[in-house]
Amino acid sequence: SLDEYYNLSRIYNSLGAVYFFRNDFSKAVNFYEYALGYTDDLRIRSMLFINIGEALIYTDIHDSVEYYLNKGIQTAEEIKNRSVVLSGYEYLSDFYEYTGDFKNEFLFQQKFNVLNDSLHSGRIAEEINALELDLHLNLKDQEYQFQRFRLIG
């Protein structure tokens, strides 16, 4: 069933994370790839592509790093998941720094900074809007209470 496939994908992703944090990056990649085989959910697939690309940075298999990170970025852009795009930019920047490609490292660090600033300013704007709405509602409630008090008193 779909739930079983979803659960298998989550389990394999979790196992990949365990091996990643144990610095066994090849096994991490294997489990992330297994997880890909059990999901069509683009949100999950975009994260798995990024996970694979990040893990490959720390292996000797560098020829696939760009493919997986770019695939993760492309998939995340399709579904407008900017936080995954941000991770992709960060890991591409790290990869290019690691390989000595400082031109591309700088390019993706810039992309990371611009998107990161955009995400944070968007969140701040949302928080300000929520505070303004809350203040507006509180003022309306106080005005209502004052009018009630005047009618009663």
Side-chain angles (χ1 to χ4, degrees):
S1 77
L2 288 177
D3 285 342
E4 289 175 15
Y5 282 116
Y6 175 76
N7 286 333
L8 282 172
S9 180
R10 287 183 52 204
I11 289 167
Y12 284 133
N13 183 49
S14 296
L15 287 169
V18 167
Y19 283 104
F20 182 91
F21 290 110
R22 288 185 176 176
N23 296 328
D24 191 340
F25 304 110
S26 294
K27 275 191 181 176
V29 167
N30 289 337
F31 281 108
Y32 292 144
E33 287 175 338
Y34 292 150
L36 269 175
Y38 289 98
T39 185
D40 290 328
D41 183 317
L42 292 180
R43 185 180 53 84
I44 295 170
R45 291 182 69 79
S46 66
M47 290 185 283
L48 287 167
F49 288 131
I50 298 294
N51 289 350
I52 292 169
E54 181 191 14
L56 286 171
I57 292 171
Y58 304 105
T59 69
D60 295 332
I61 311 168
H62 291 156
D63 58 339
S64 298
V65 171
E66 290 172 294
Y67 168 80
Y68 280 106
L69 291 175
N70 283 316
K71 185 75 171 165
I73 290 168
Q74 176 188 7
T75 306
E77 286 175 337
E78 285 176 31
I79 58 172
K80 299 180 181 8
N81 189 336
R82 294 168 28 151
S83 63
V84 173
V85 172
L86 187 70
S87 294
Y89 289 164
E90 178 181 19
Y91 299 135
L92 273 172
S93 176
D94 291 347
F95 172 67
Y96 291 127
E97 179 182 24
Y98 180 78
T99 59
D101 183 348
F102 298 111
K103 180 181 174 186
N104 277 320
E105 183 265 337
F106 180 73
L107 172 72
F108 281 94
Q109 187 61 48
Q110 281 186 313
K111 287 184 173 196
F112 173 85
N113 290 337
V114 168
L115 183 56
N116 191 40
D117 290 347
S118 171
L119 287 172
H120 282 84
S121 65
R123 287 185 188 129
I124 290 169
E126 287 174 12
E127 289 176 17
I128 290 171
N129 286 339
L131 288 172
E132 287 176 344
L133 178 61
D134 191 42
L135 177 62
H136 178 72
L137 293 173
N138 282 335
L139 289 174
K140 285 291 187 189
D141 186 49
Q142 287 176 0
E143 185 179 311
Y144 171 76
Q145 294 297 333
F146 179 73
Q147 292 296 334
R148 252 183 91 213
F149 179 74
R150 283 184 49 195
L151 290 173
I152 296 171

